[in-house]
């Protein structure tokens, strides 16, 4: 099944070509002007979609926008296929063309969706079964021996949702956890532990990640203050990298301990990841430098090997370098990312053979990725037709508008943050149950608190435009009103309640009858679901899906508050119940793609 906008777009393209045959065939520049894409109507009274290209075309063709719009509309009116989908188009303002989808067409689509578990979202078409195009999402990626912080939480939540969308679309998705498991931190840690707690180098039984993090802090402090410690630490890194048994054993232990802690967070959030840390690319680093040298990109600058970026200058007006090998011969973060990007785009069996690679980190790393992408592209490591994107996000701020910290000024531990969300959801729930005079079992209360608490944290993060900083507020994210997880979950719970009383309609073959504007609004909104999913896939902005679901809940609530469902006459009742069902299916699938669990009752 094809969605409405995807059915209409080719017909508009055709109309444009027929209306302006010379221009359409002629120059390349006109291609961008003949944009057949549809914008949603800016107001419901304008119909469903809007064609906006008459204005840009008018300038290029030196005709009035009105005349251009008339020419397009004339063509559309001659197309029987178009008139099966839309009423005759209307021209508004200087030259906007408004389209309204015909009611019978909406109904056909509505019936189709009731039967369609994909709710109109098409499967991607590239590749044979078992050989679907590969999308890599590099997300979460905390650092070993360090605490996972809220930035990593954001990456984890946003990355998971993006991965879910690609999976649902039928891509093969590799969810890569590019953990920081290689580098100087291990040298410091090993040197320090050899002195203060040598047993920690041999067994993980004695310490947990909290201790490890504390040791890391101590060692970092010593590293910054004490040059002889620095020298020893560097030697320790070299030992580790050349396979020294003691160092390797300790490294393995640190990784295991950290992994174990990280996994607890992933399990709680129901998020799966494949760990492939920086150390994986160790063997490839030398070759990266060699090949950059061979292709003439490498420059020696004060003993460091680097590639100077094109079109990117520093404050002094000089081109900025990406350093790939330090003066002491060591490789760095960028070298590893160059090896990684190359590996990911190299076809199997020597690499992953990805068609799209997506990196989800805070916007502080934007320059790093810009540099890495440019160097990789100039080195010829990004095949044509593939895509590589950095998905940046802003900082998490506390309610005071400053970087999120605990009262005592420490970084907030994720475990504590999730615990608090659940605890608050728990106490809100108990208050509400008391007010409603309800008695519920403990297991029920625990489950609701957990689902609402974790869902609220995820949703608060996803519903913001990720690029902006976002203010973390338990009160706001847990509110039953507004663009929050509890509001959406509650809409769904409401529908489940209606369904329990309304009986099973899945086998009913009766036609539906709709006559009220509240019903049509809801239908129209429901039928946009597939477009929204495709948009998120394109732009990697999960907040679009959140806004859509929020609006859906609002439209549903208006419908349900203003029209009787269970008490309506039989024919309306069944129609409305089915409208409720499609709303529930859409909310459920939408929330699932955001990684948010749903409830039948709350
Ligand atoms: N470990 C890094 C950090 O904590 C994030 C890694 C992101 N992925 C990458 N391929 N560089 O900031």
């Amino acid at each position: 099944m094809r969605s409405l906008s995807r059915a209409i777009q080719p017909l508009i393209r055709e109309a444009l070509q027929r209306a302006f045959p010379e221009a359409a065939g002629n120059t390349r520049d006109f291609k961008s002007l003949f944009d057949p894409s549809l914008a949603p109507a800016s107001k419901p009274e304008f119909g469903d979609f809007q064609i906006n290209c008459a204005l840009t075309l008018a300038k290029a063709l030196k005709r009035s926008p009105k005349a251009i719009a008339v020419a397009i509309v004339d063509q559309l009116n001659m197309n029987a296929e178009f008139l099966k989908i839309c009423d005759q188009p209307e021209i508004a303002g200087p030259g906007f063309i408004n389209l309204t989808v015909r009611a019978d067409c909406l109904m056909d689509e509505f019936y189709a969706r009731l039967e369609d578990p994909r709710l109109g979202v098409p499967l991607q078409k590239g590749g044979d079964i078992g050989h679907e195009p590969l999308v890599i999402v590099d997300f979460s990626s905390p650092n070993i021996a360090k605490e996972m912080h809220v930035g990593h939480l954001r990456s984890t939540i946003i990355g998971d949702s993006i991965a879910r969308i690609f999976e649902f679309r039928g891509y093969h998705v590799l969810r890569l956890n590019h953990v920081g498991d290689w580098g100087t931190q291990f040298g410091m840690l090993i040197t320090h532990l050899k002195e203060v707690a040598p047993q920690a180098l041999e067994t993980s039984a004695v310490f947990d990640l909290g201790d490890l993090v504390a040791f890391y802090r101590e060692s970092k402090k010593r590293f910054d203050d004490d040059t002889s410690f620095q020298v020893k630490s560097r030697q320790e890194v070299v030992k580790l990298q050349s396979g020294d048994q003691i160092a390797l054993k300790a490294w393995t232990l640190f990784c295991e301990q950290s992994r174990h802690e990280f996994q607890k967070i992933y399990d709680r959030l129901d998020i799966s990841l494949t760990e492939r840390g920086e150390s994986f690319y160790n063997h490839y680093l030398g070759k990266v430098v060699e090949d950059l040298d061979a292709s003439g990109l490498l420059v020696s600058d004060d003993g460091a090997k680097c590639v100077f970026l094109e079109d990117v200058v520093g404050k002094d007006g000089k081109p900025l370098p990406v350093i790939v090998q330090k003066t002491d011969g060591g490789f760095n973060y960028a070298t590893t990312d160059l090896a990684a990007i190359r590996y990911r785009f190299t076809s199997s069996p020597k690499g992953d053979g990805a068609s799209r690679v997506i990196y989800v980190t805070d916007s502080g790393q934007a320059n790093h990725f810009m540099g890495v992408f440019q160097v990789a592209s100039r080195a010829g490591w990004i095949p044509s037709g593939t895509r590589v994107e950095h998905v940046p996000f802003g900082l998490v701020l506390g309610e005071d508008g400053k970087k999120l910290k605990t009262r005592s000024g420490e970084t907030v531990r994720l475990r504590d943050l999730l615990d608090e969300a659940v605890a608050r959801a728990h106490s809100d729930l108990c208050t509400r149950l008391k007010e409603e005079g309800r008695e519920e079992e403990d297991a029920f209360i625990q489950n609701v608190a957990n689902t609402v608490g974790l869902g609220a944290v995820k949703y608060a993060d996803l519903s913001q435009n990720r690029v902006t900083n976002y203010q973390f507020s338990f009160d706001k994210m847990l509110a039953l009103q507004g663009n929050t997880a509890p509001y959406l979950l509650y809409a769904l719970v409401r529908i489940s309640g209606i369904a329990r009383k309304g009986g099973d309609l899945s086998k009913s073959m009766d036609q539906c009858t709709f006559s009220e504007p509240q019903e049509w609004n809801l239908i129209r909104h429901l039928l946009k679901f597939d477009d929204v999913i495709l948009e998120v896939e394109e732009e990697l902005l999960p907040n679009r899906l959140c806004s859509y679901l929020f609006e859906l809940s609002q439209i549903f609530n208006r419908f349900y508050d203003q029209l009787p469902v269970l008490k309506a006459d039989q024919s309306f009742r069944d129609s409305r119940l089915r409208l409720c069902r499609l709303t529930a299916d859409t909310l459920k699938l939408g929330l699932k793609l955001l990684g948010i669990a749903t409830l039948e009752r709350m």
Side-chain angles (χ1 to χ4, degrees):
M1 181 176 59
R2 249 187 344 164
S3 88
L4 297 170
S5 70
R6 270 167 293 129
I8 300 170
Q9 275 177 32
L11 303 175
I12 300 173
R13 192 190 303 276
E14 218 178 289
L16 287 166
Q17 274 159 358
R18 291 235 176 93
F20 314 104
E22 323 83 33
N26 251 339
T27 48
R28 270 179 159 217
D29 297 345
F30 278 127
K31 281 239 169 78
S32 59
L33 301 171
F34 284 97
D35 177 12
S37 58
L38 291 169
S42 52
K43 283 189 190 157
E45 51 275 31
F46 295 159
D48 295 297
F49 301 110
Q50 209 168 287
I51 308 176
N52 293 334
C53 68
L55 275 72
T56 28
L57 258 176
K59 270 199 202 118
L61 299 179
K62 304 207 169 52
R63 287 163 66 183
S64 79
K66 209 30 153 281
I68 300 278
V70 169
I72 299 172
V73 168
D74 283 348
Q75 286 300 330
L76 290 172
N77 279 335
M78 280 189 273
N79 187 336
E81 211 184 319
F82 174 80
L83 294 176
K84 266 192 226 153
I85 307 176
C86 291
D87 293 332
Q88 296 208 347
E90 287 188 9
I91 300 176
F96 299 113
I97 303 170
N98 292 336
L99 303 184
T100 303
V101 178
R102 291 165 54 114
D104 56 346
C105 192
L106 290 175
M107 287 308 291
D108 287 347
E109 191 76 19
F110 174 72
Y111 292 130
R113 292 224 180 162
L114 280 172
E115 307 295 320
D116 175 15
R118 301 192 55 80
L119 301 181
V121 180
L123 275 171
Q124 68 78 30
K125 294 204 187 69
D128 300 333
I129 295 176
H131 299 277
E132 295 82 5
L134 172 70
V135 177
I136 292 181
V137 189
D138 173 322
F139 70 107
S140 194
S141 309
N143 301 313
I144 301 293
K146 300 188 195 172
E147 197 88 57
M148 197 169 164
H149 56 69
V150 279
H152 295 124
L153 180 68
R154 272 205 104 171
S155 172
T156 308
I157 293 170
I158 296 171
D160 175 59
S161 169
I162 289 175
R164 281 173 194 258
I165 300 233
F166 281 102
E167 283 154 357
F168 184 66
R169 283 271 291 133
Y171 291 93
H172 178 201
V173 178
L174 198 50
R175 302 159 152 260
L176 285 187
N177 202 0
H178 188 86
V179 294
D181 63 355
W182 209 239
T184 40
Q185 80 243 45
F186 296 101
M188 306 180 209
L189 203 51
I190 293 173
T191 312
H192 182 57
L193 285 176
K194 273 189 173 166
E195 289 172 27
V196 302
Q199 66 280 31
L201 299 170
E202 282 164 31
T203 164
S204 63
V206 282
F207 299 111
D208 64 15
L209 182 67
D211 301 318
L212 202 58
V213 170
F215 284 132
Y216 170 72
R217 282 209 201 104
E218 289 164 20
S219 67
K220 174 86 173 68
K221 187 161 182 340
R222 288 183 68 185
F223 187 85
D224 292 339
D225 298 344
D226 174 354
T227 36
S228 82
F229 186 84
Q230 272 179 26
V231 175
K232 278 196 221 153
S233 298
R234 293 227 169 83
Q235 285 164 351
E236 221 36 85
V237 176
V238 176
K239 272 197 201 160
L240 171 66
Q241 299 193 340
S242 53
D244 174 82
Q245 285 309 305
I246 296 175
L248 264 180
K249 169 104 203 260
W251 174 77
T252 312
L253 286 176
F254 302 154
C255 290
E256 271 166 11
Q257 273 169 327
S258 296
R259 191 174 294 136
H260 184 68
E261 273 322 294
F262 298 157
Q263 194 55 43
K264 284 189 201 157
I265 302 274
Y266 299 142
D267 286 345
R268 255 181 113 171
L269 295 173
D270 186 25
I271 287 177
S272 74
L273 276 146
T274 303
E275 185 183 317
R276 193 201 274 166
E278 296 181 2
S279 63
F280 176 89
Y281 302 99
N282 209 21
H283 304 299
Y284 303 91
L285 301 177
K287 189 93 170 78
V288 162
V289 177
E290 233 172 74
D291 290 352
L292 286 175
D293 198 13
S295 56
L297 292 173
L298 210 65
V299 177
S300 221
D301 192 41
D302 263 347
K305 293 185 177 157
C306 54
V307 178
F308 282 99
L309 292 174
E310 282 172 354
D311 305 322
V312 188
V313 291
K315 283 197 191 99
D316 54 4
K318 293 196 189 129
L320 282 177
V322 170
I323 300 174
V324 294
Q325 194 164 20
K326 292 179 276 190
T327 329
D328 65 5
F331 303 108
N332 55 26
Y333 188 50
T335 329
T336 305
D337 260 322
L338 282 166
I341 206 169
R342 187 182 196 184
Y343 186 89
R344 291 167 183 184
F345 279 118
T346 301
S347 46
S348 90
K350 286 196 167 155
D352 296 314
S355 65
R356 192 168 174 182
V357 181
I358 293 163
Y359 298 80
V360 188
T361 78
D362 62 288
S363 20
Q365 302 199 31
N367 284 335
H368 163 75
F369 285 110
M370 188 259 301
V372 167
F373 296 169
Q374 189 194 104
V375 173
S377 147
R378 283 163 64 198
W381 298 339
I382 303 183
S384 66
T386 61
R387 288 170 80 167
V388 53
E389 283 144 301
H390 178 218
V391 169
F393 53 80
L395 298 174
V396 183
L397 306 176
E399 299 204 46
D400 56 2
K402 300 204 187 103
K403 218 172 160 174
L404 189 69
K405 290 259 153 66
T406 61
R407 284 224 179 83
S408 55
E410 313 228 334
T411 44
V412 178
R413 291 203 310 179
L414 295 192
R415 201 187 331 152
D416 300 341
L417 185 146
L418 299 179
D419 284 346
E420 181 159 358
V422 173
R424 288 190 186 222
H426 188 276
S427 94
D428 287 358
L429 174 63
C430 292
T431 315
R432 189 161 52 81
L433 289 178
K434 209 180 243 165
E435 279 165 14
E436 293 173 4
R438 281 165 59 190
E439 290 233 2
E440 297 285 355
E441 304 215 333
D442 235 24
F444 170 87
I445 296 179
Q446 283 306 334
N447 180 46
V448 173
N450 204 46
T451 308
V452 171
L454 299 179
V457 171
K458 286 190 179 185
Y459 191 83
D461 207 328
L462 292 165
S463 57
Q464 307 288 319
N465 182 325
R466 57 174 165 73
V467 187
T468 50
N469 292 345
Y470 111 86
Q471 207 151 13
F472 192 94
S473 157
F474 284 118
D475 287 337
K476 275 195 204 128
M477 70 176 70
L478 287 165
L480 262 178
Q481 290 302 328
N483 189 8
T484 64
Y487 180 75
L488 300 195
L489 291 173
Y490 196 71
L492 198 48
V493 161
R494 235 177 151 184
I495 306 176
S496 303
I498 303 168
R500 278 195 295 275
K501 290 178 208 137
D504 178 21
L505 286 175
S506 50
K507 293 194 187 64
S508 151
M509 296 298 281
D510 293 339
Q511 292 289 303
C512 292
T513 7
F514 297 115
S515 56
E516 303 296 332
Q518 294 92 330
E519 296 167 327
W520 287 111
N521 277 348
L522 187 50
I523 293 173
R524 292 196 134 90
H525 196 71
L526 285 167
L527 298 186
K528 286 181 198 151
F529 180 69
D530 53 331
D531 281 344
V532 174
I533 298 301
L534 295 181
E535 216 176 276
V536 177
E537 171 185 328
E538 184 52 35
E539 298 174 9
L540 309 174
L541 288 171
N543 62 303
R544 294 273 165 84
L545 176 54
C546 296
S547 305
Y548 169 83
L549 295 175
F550 176 48
E551 216 179 309
L552 177 60
S553 311
Q554 286 177 310
I555 296 174
F556 171 78
N557 284 335
R558 225 171 291 141
F559 154 86
Y560 188 61
D561 292 340
Q562 296 173 2
L563 300 175
V565 174
L566 291 166
K567 293 207 175 95
D569 286 348
Q570 184 68 35
S571 68
F572 291 120
R573 183 176 182 269
D574 286 359
S575 304
R576 288 177 190 167
L577 278 171
R578 276 190 273 174
L579 202 41
C580 290
R581 210 205 76 203
L582 187 60
T583 306
D585 290 349
T586 307
L587 277 172
K588 262 189 217 155
L589 180 55
L591 286 166
K592 190 170 163 205
L593 294 175
L594 294 172
I596 294 175
T598 55
L599 297 160
E600 292 284 310
R601 297 195 307 122
M602 70 190 261

